[in-house]
Amino acid sequence: MNTNFIDIDYPPVDSSLYDPHLDSPFDTLVHWRRPDDFMKVDINQGLLEPNVFYQSIEPNDIRQGALSDFWFTSALACLAERPALIERLFITKDVNSKGFYRVKICKNGEWVTVAVDDYFPCHPEGGPMFSRAHCNELWVLILEKAYAKLHGNYFMLRGGFANEALIDLTGCPTAYYDFQDEFV
């Protein structure tokens, strides 16, 4: 029997997107879909089978979605300048048919392992609503989902500071400079 992993602690339901006591902040119905459901394979266009990583990790791999978590994706882009910093976050480095992935995130000064399934919030009959990588790479989708799980839901990621995400993704202290401040 071939069954897909479903994360019972963070299932593909509305409460994983936003606080269920509030009205939906999204203007469209959300479909939870697996990569094989929304990633097309076309060798002529360079679209290979979905994989966690392809040959290289680059900042321009990242595509912003409708969530406005640009502070988080900016931190990912900074780390993507040094691909080993992204790769070390992944315990599961290869795609698997069960849809089970584990990553490490440093939350509140402690490295924690976060397990997620590969059901991602998508537009009806379309691709991911939120951040994604170009082509058929999964690393951005997986990291964003794991980060959303740690924060309670995706909608909790809609505002923040890149230095906060850098702390969580590296375990290292950061500094924040306001270049508008005349005393800096």
Side-chain angles (χ1 to χ4, degrees), residues 75-130:
L76 288 182
C78 288
L79 293 182
E81 291 286 350
R82 302 204 35 216
L85 294 176
I86 295 287
E87 289 175 11
R88 75 181 195 142
L89 297 173
F90 283 81
I91 297 168
T92 309
K93 296 182 186 296
D94 296 309
V95 72
N96 64 75
S97 62
K98 299 293 183 196
F100 177 77
Y101 298 92
R102 293 184 322 144
V103 298
K104 298 179 294 186
I105 297 175
C106 186
K107 196 64 186 152
N108 300 321
E110 301 225 6
W111 285 99
V112 295
T113 298
V114 183
V116 294
D117 59 35
D118 69 348
Y119 287 92
F120 300 106
C122 294
H123 296 284
E125 303 301 319
M129 291 181 66
F130 308 137

Side-chain angles (χ1 to χ4, degrees), residues 14-25 153 155:
D14 286 349
S15 63
S16 295
L17 294 170
Y18 58 90
D19 184 342
H21 298 99
L22 305 174
D23 291 332
S24 174
N153 60 57
F155 200 62

Side-chain angles (χ1 to χ4, degrees), residues 123-169:
H123 296 284
E125 303 301 319
M129 291 181 66
F130 308 137
S131 301
R132 63 197 174 282
H134 83 291
C135 295
N136 288 343
E137 287 183 287
L138 298 173
W139 68 271
V140 175
L141 288 159
I142 293 168
L143 280 176
E144 183 181 53
K145 184 169 186 173
Y147 206 60
K149 180 179 179 179
L150 273 181
H151 287 85
N153 60 57
Y154 278 92
F155 200 62
M156 295 296 290
L157 301 183
R158 72 190 183 286
F161 296 97
N163 67 306
E164 294 171 354
L166 284 169
I167 291 169
D168 292 343
L169 297 171

Side-chain angles (χ1 to χ4, degrees), residues 21-67:
H21 298 99
L22 305 174
D23 291 332
S24 174
F26 306 109
D27 59 358
T28 184
L29 183 64
V30 177
H31 286 192
W32 291 86
R33 302 175 76 200
R34 298 184 76 218
D36 288 340
D37 298 332
F38 62 82
M39 291 182 165
K40 68 178 183 174
V41 176
D42 186 342
I43 304 301
N44 295 328
Q45 294 181 7
L47 299 173
L48 306 173
E49 292 285 335
N51 208 341
V52 176
F53 305 109
Y54 282 125
Q55 295 174 351
S56 64
I57 296 170
E58 301 173 354
N60 63 357
D61 286 347
I62 302 163
R63 303 292 186 256
Q64 182 68 43
L67 191 57

